[in-house]
PDB file of all heavy atoms in Angstrom:
ATOM      1  N   ALA B 162      56.015 107.915  84.348  1.00 89.00           N
ATOM      2  CA  ALA B 162      56.957 108.419  85.350  1.00 89.00           C
ATOM      3  C   ALA B 162      57.947 107.324  85.738  1.00 89.00           C
ATOM      4  O   ALA B 162      57.637 106.140  85.704  1.00 89.00           O
ATOM      5  CB  ALA B 162      56.212 108.900  86.599  1.00 89.00           C
ATOM      6  N   ALA B 163      59.079 107.828  86.043  1.00 89.00           N
ATOM      7  CA  ALA B 163      60.103 106.923  86.609  1.00 89.00           C
ATOM      8  C   ALA B 163      60.303 107.304  88.065  1.00 89.00           C
ATOM      9  O   ALA B 163      60.308 108.483  88.408  1.00 89.00           O
ATOM     10  CB  ALA B 163      61.406 107.042  85.841  1.00 89.00           C
ATOM     11  N   MET B 164      60.496 106.318  88.880  1.00 86.00           N
ATOM     12  CA  MET B 164      60.599 106.572  90.316  1.00 86.00           C
ATOM     13  C   MET B 164      61.947 106.067  90.813  1.00 86.00           C
ATOM     14  O   MET B 164      62.411 104.995  90.417  1.00 86.00           O
ATOM     15  CB  MET B 164      59.483 105.862  91.078  1.00 86.00           C
ATOM     16  CG  MET B 164      58.120 106.374  90.740  1.00 86.00           C
ATOM     17  SD  MET B 164      56.831 105.538  91.693  1.00 86.00           S
ATOM     18  CE  MET B 164      56.928 103.917  91.022  1.00 86.00           C
ATOM     19  N   VAL B 165      62.497 106.833  91.661  1.00 87.00           N
ATOM     20  CA  VAL B 165      63.757 106.435  92.291  1.00 87.00           C
ATOM     21  C   VAL B 165      63.613 106.709  93.788  1.00 87.00           C
ATOM     22  O   VAL B 165      63.281 107.809  94.186  1.00 87.00           O
ATOM     23  CB  VAL B 165      64.961 107.194  91.729  1.00 87.00           C
ATOM     24  CG1 VAL B 165      66.224 106.795  92.483  1.00 87.00           C
ATOM     25  CG2 VAL B 165      65.131 106.921  90.257  1.00 87.00           C
ATOM     26  N   MET B 166      63.863 105.704  94.580  1.00 83.00           N
ATOM     27  CA  MET B 166      63.803 105.885  96.038  1.00 83.00           C
ATOM     28  C   MET B 166      65.217 105.788  96.578  1.00 83.00           C
ATOM     29  O   MET B 166      65.938 104.830  96.283  1.00 83.00           O
ATOM     30  CB  MET B 166      62.930 104.812  96.691  1.00 83.00           C
ATOM     31  CG  MET B 166      62.754 104.989  98.182  1.00 83.00           C
ATOM     32  SD  MET B 166      61.687 103.721  98.915  1.00 83.00           S
ATOM     33  CE  MET B 166      60.127 104.201  98.191  1.00 83.00           C
ATOM     34  N   THR B 167      65.546 106.812  97.268  1.00 82.00           N
ATOM     35  CA  THR B 167      66.896 106.852  97.818  1.00 82.00           C
ATOM     36  C   THR B 167      66.837 106.872  99.329  1.00 82.00           C
ATOM     37  O   THR B 167      65.902 107.372  99.929  1.00 82.00           O
ATOM     38  CB  THR B 167      67.659 108.081  97.303  1.00 82.00           C
ATOM     39  OG1 THR B 167      66.931 109.238  97.666  1.00 82.00           O
ATOM     40  CG2 THR B 167      67.866 108.011  95.810  1.00 82.00           C
ATOM     41  N   GLU B 168      67.842 106.321  99.878  1.00 73.00           N
ATOM     42  CA  GLU B 168      67.952 106.242 101.339  1.00 73.00           C
ATOM     43  C   GLU B 168      69.411 106.493 101.670  1.00 73.00           C
ATOM     44  O   GLU B 168      70.276 105.720 101.226  1.00 73.00           O
ATOM     45  CB  GLU B 168      67.537 104.856 101.837  1.00 73.00           C
ATOM     46  CG  GLU B 168      67.465 104.718 103.335  1.00 73.00           C
ATOM     47  CD  GLU B 168      66.188 105.283 103.904  1.00 73.00           C
ATOM     48  OE1 GLU B 168      65.128 105.026 103.349  1.00 73.00           O
ATOM     49  OE2 GLU B 168      66.290 106.030 104.902  1.00 73.00           O
ATOM     50  N   ALA B 169      69.633 107.528 102.375  1.00 71.00           N
ATOM     51  CA  ALA B 169      70.997 107.887 102.766  1.00 71.00           C
ATOM     52  C   ALA B 169      71.886 108.034 101.537  1.00 71.00           C
ATOM     53  O   ALA B 169      73.034 107.581 101.515  1.00 71.00           O
ATOM     54  CB  ALA B 169      71.577 106.861 103.722  1.00 71.00           C
ATOM     55  N   GLY B 170      71.327 108.626 100.530  1.00 74.00           N
ATOM     56  CA  GLY B 170      72.112 108.885  99.345  1.00 74.00           C
ATOM     57  C   GLY B 170      72.247 107.719  98.412  1.00 74.00           C
ATOM     58  O   GLY B 170      72.809 107.858  97.322  1.00 74.00           O
ATOM     59  N   ALA B 171      71.720 106.594  98.825  1.00 78.00           N
ATOM     60  CA  ALA B 171      71.849 105.410  97.978  1.00 78.00           C
ATOM     61  C   ALA B 171      70.481 105.032  97.447  1.00 78.00           C
ATOM     62  O   ALA B 171      69.471 105.178  98.137  1.00 78.00           O
ATOM     63  CB  ALA B 171      72.441 104.262  98.767  1.00 78.00           C
ATOM     64  N   THR B 172      70.486 104.569  96.239  1.00 81.00           N
ATOM     65  CA  THR B 172      69.231 104.151  95.625  1.00 81.00           C
ATOM     66  C   THR B 172      68.831 102.797  96.194  1.00 81.00           C
ATOM     67  O   THR B 172      69.597 101.846  96.151  1.00 81.00           O
ATOM     68  CB  THR B 172      69.403 104.034  94.106  1.00 81.00           C
ATOM     69  OG1 THR B 172      69.792 105.307  93.604  1.00 81.00           O
ATOM     70  CG2 THR B 172      68.115 103.569  93.460  1.00 81.00           C
ATOM     71  N   VAL B 173      67.680 102.754  96.746  1.00 79.00           N
ATOM     72  CA  VAL B 173      67.217 101.491  97.325  1.00 79.00           C
ATOM     73  C   VAL B 173      66.153 100.862  96.444  1.00 79.00           C
ATOM     74  O   VAL B 173      65.944  99.659  96.492  1.00 79.00           O
ATOM     75  CB  VAL B 173      66.675 101.695  98.748  1.00 79.00           C
ATOM     76  CG1 VAL B 173      67.783 102.129  99.666  1.00 79.00           C
ATOM     77  CG2 VAL B 173      65.532 102.696  98.771  1.00 79.00           C
TER      78      VAL B 173
END
Side-chain angles (χ1 to χ4, degrees):
Chain B
M164 295 181 293
V165 177
M166 184 179 291
T167 58
E168 187 80 45
T172 300
V173 295

